[in-house]
Amino acid sequence: MGFSPLIAERRFGYGLSPHVAAPGSVDDMLDAVRGPDQMADQFPIPGFRSLQQANTIKIRFDQFARKATTPPDESAEARKKSDAIVHDFIRQRLRSFGQMQLRRIHGTSNFRERLVAFWANHFTAQGKIAMLRQAVPAYVEEAVRPNISGRFADLLTACVTHPVMLEYLDQTASVGPTSKRGLRAGKQRGLNENLARELLELHTLGVGGPYDQTDVRQMAELLTGMTRTRDYTFVFRKGWAEPGRETVLGKTYGDRQSMDPIRDALEDLAIHPVTARHLSTKLAVHFVSDTPSEALISDLTSAYLGSGGDLMVLNQTLLEHPLAWEMPATNIRPPIEYLGTALRALAVPPSRFADLRPSETRKFFLRPLGVMGQVWERPGGPDGWPEEDGAWVTPQGIAARLEWAMNVPARLLPDLPEPNAFLAQVVGPDASETLKFATSAAENRAVAVGLILASPAMQRR
């Protein structure tokens, strides 16, 4: 078995749409990823620069409010303006959730959207302080999305040097012990190994890779100097960098007066054979099966290494591989992906998301996601959300999906689709006789649509 429009949308996208045609071939899917990012243009999400600029203004308001010479009424007004900036970014973060869903609902290149989600999870980062708590959509938009069709080395570099990642893994607190800054700081600041460890263990070689604690320590020393400015702009401070040479996985990198040795190390990690297999396995697990064929993993690994880590070659090998299309639909969609599939099937219009109040976004989406087991942008650790079905197939999680399917669609759309036509459009030939009967016998349209959205055909890819 080879390419199928139905499998293309179910396994490599967000499911069938009643209004958007499925891709006609593998070449169509690949060309759409290579081509202009139409959904990003149509449903924009602000990048990190806007947050940096707003935070700079917020800091000025805060400083003015704290001055002893500032009159009380002016100080209160400054605090009010500072709070307004924070509230605006909270609202923007919620709007970003809607924009992300609209890209999935109306997209003609949902393989791109799935790749963005996959790599954003691989390079999980969370904002921990101040304005960075609202910055994850901007981080994904700036570091991940533009790099999913290029070299893995470039994607890796963009993510691990981004201020959100640096803050999340405490790299901004890491100082070379014998650097100029380290010697001045004494015990107050020192080496932090978090980014180095996750770089080796999660981002490249994987758990069980060919590295030891010495490699982690040496990588941590190599990464010193990478930090951020007060306005969260990335900067390399050579006065913070541990002097001398560092040896990681048997290769020695020169003394650091710039980012060049760090970039060299990232390039080497990106094309390491163990990295190739780690990434290939993760990709196969995500798109095909929790237990993918060794033949598929081996072919993906060879393609990655042969291309020097070209992600489009990896994507092409995946989509052209017969095993990627032959496996049954066993993988269950994680909650956030399931909501995207349901909303795409319902073809929720942009105007409906534009009308949502922040409280409605939380009520209709974010709170249900939490009950399903996936709090938006808050995975349990830097390893991101799990792929295994067991993480999502829980009594509470499945019950929450059913409750959402039965109640929320009618709150989103004033006129739900006719059930039998809806079944044919969004499930198609995968509709079982049991589901067809239940749809026809449902007591009302909302229940019928809910049964379709909660069916295994919609839950699995």
Side-chain angles (χ1 to χ4, degrees), residues 416-431:
L416 290 173
E418 194 283 318
N420 291 313
F422 183 64
L423 179 64
Q425 291 169 337
V426 303
V427 178
D430 284 352

Side-chain angles (χ1 to χ4, degrees), residues 74-380:
E74 293 183 16
S75 177
E77 183 64 22
R79 287 193 177 91
K80 183 178 179 181
K81 291 180 178 179
S82 174
D83 291 343
I85 291 173
V86 174
H87 293 151
D88 183 64
F89 266 92
I90 292 173
R91 289 190 292 269
Q92 177 56 58
R93 174 176 171 266
L94 296 177
R95 286 196 294 269
S96 296
F97 177 88
Q99 296 293 80
M100 178 186 71
Q101 294 301 336
L102 287 169
R103 293 173 178 181
R104 298 171 179 183
I105 295 167
H106 301 286
T108 58
S109 175
N110 270 350
F111 183 45
R112 182 201 294 268
E113 303 305 323
R114 285 284 303 282
L115 288 170
V116 171
F118 171 78
W119 289 115
N121 191 55
H122 181 78
F123 289 106
T124 287
Q126 299 178 44
K128 296 196 299 185
I129 62 171
M131 298 283 280
L132 287 184
R133 291 173 180 164
Q134 317 306 324
V136 174
Y139 158 72
V140 173
E141 200 69 10
E142 189 171 270
V144 178
R145 193 174 185 95
N147 293 298
I148 61 164
S149 59
R151 301 185 315 135
F152 177 72
D154 295 331
L155 174 61
L156 174 67
T157 302
C159 290
V160 301
T161 61
H162 196 278
V164 174
M165 182 70 79
L166 296 179
E167 199 76 47
Y168 176 50
L169 294 179
D170 303 312
Q171 183 61 30
T172 54
S174 186
V175 175
T178 63
S179 67
K180 292 180 180 179
R181 178 59 183 266
L183 293 173
R184 287 202 310 269
K187 294 183 179 180
Q188 296 177 355
R189 306 189 76 161
L191 191 68
N192 188 291
E193 297 181 355
N194 287 356
L195 180 60
R197 186 175 304 281
E198 307 310 349
L199 172 61
L200 298 174
E201 184 174 289
L202 300 179
H203 301 153
T204 57
L205 303 172
V207 177
Y211 60 89
D212 56 24
Q213 177 56 31
T214 300
D215 292 308
V216 173
R217 174 82 183 189
Q218 291 280 287
M219 177 59 73
E221 292 182 357
L222 182 62
L223 295 178
T224 52
M226 294 201 313
T227 186
R228 64 164 176 85
T229 63
R230 192 174 185 181
D231 69 347
Y232 300 107
T233 299
F234 172 82
V235 66
F236 178 80
R237 301 188 190 279
K238 62 182 180 181
W240 293 30
E242 179 69 6
R245 297 173 176 270
E246 317 296 345
T247 301
V248 181
L249 302 181
K251 182 170 181 178
T252 301
Y253 298 91
D255 205 356
R256 273 145 306 118
Q257 299 299 310
S258 70
M259 278 286 295
D260 289 346
I262 297 175
R263 296 187 187 279
D264 290 344
L266 295 177
E267 291 275 351
D268 291 339
L269 285 171
I271 59 173
H272 195 287
V274 177
T275 296
R277 182 172 177 85
H278 174 55
L279 299 180
S280 297
T281 301
K282 285 195 68 172
L283 197 72
V285 166
H286 178 78
F287 281 104
V288 180
S289 168
D290 282 356
T291 55
S293 163
E294 175 59 34
L296 175 60
I297 296 172
S298 178
D299 289 346
L300 289 171
T301 303
S302 296
Y304 181 96
L305 291 173
S307 67
D310 187 319
L311 294 177
M312 280 309 300
V313 171
L314 187 66
N315 296 335
Q316 181 173 350
T317 302
L318 173 68
L319 293 183
E320 291 181 347
H321 205 290
L323 292 176
W325 303 87
E326 288 182 356
M327 297 290 290
T330 57
N331 278 9
I332 192 165
R333 296 185 187 277
I336 188 69
E337 186 181 316
Y338 167 66
L339 285 194
T341 298
L343 294 170
R344 180 173 173 84
L346 293 166
V348 179
S351 59
R352 186 65 185 94
F353 275 94
D355 291 341
L356 286 175
R357 297 187 300 273
S359 60
E360 290 179 313
T361 299
R362 294 186 179 96
K363 180 178 180 180
F364 295 158
F365 305 114
L366 302 190
R367 288 174 191 157
L369 280 171
V371 180
M372 293 178 198
Q374 191 172 26
V375 179
W376 184 49
E377 295 180 344
R378 290 292 182 268

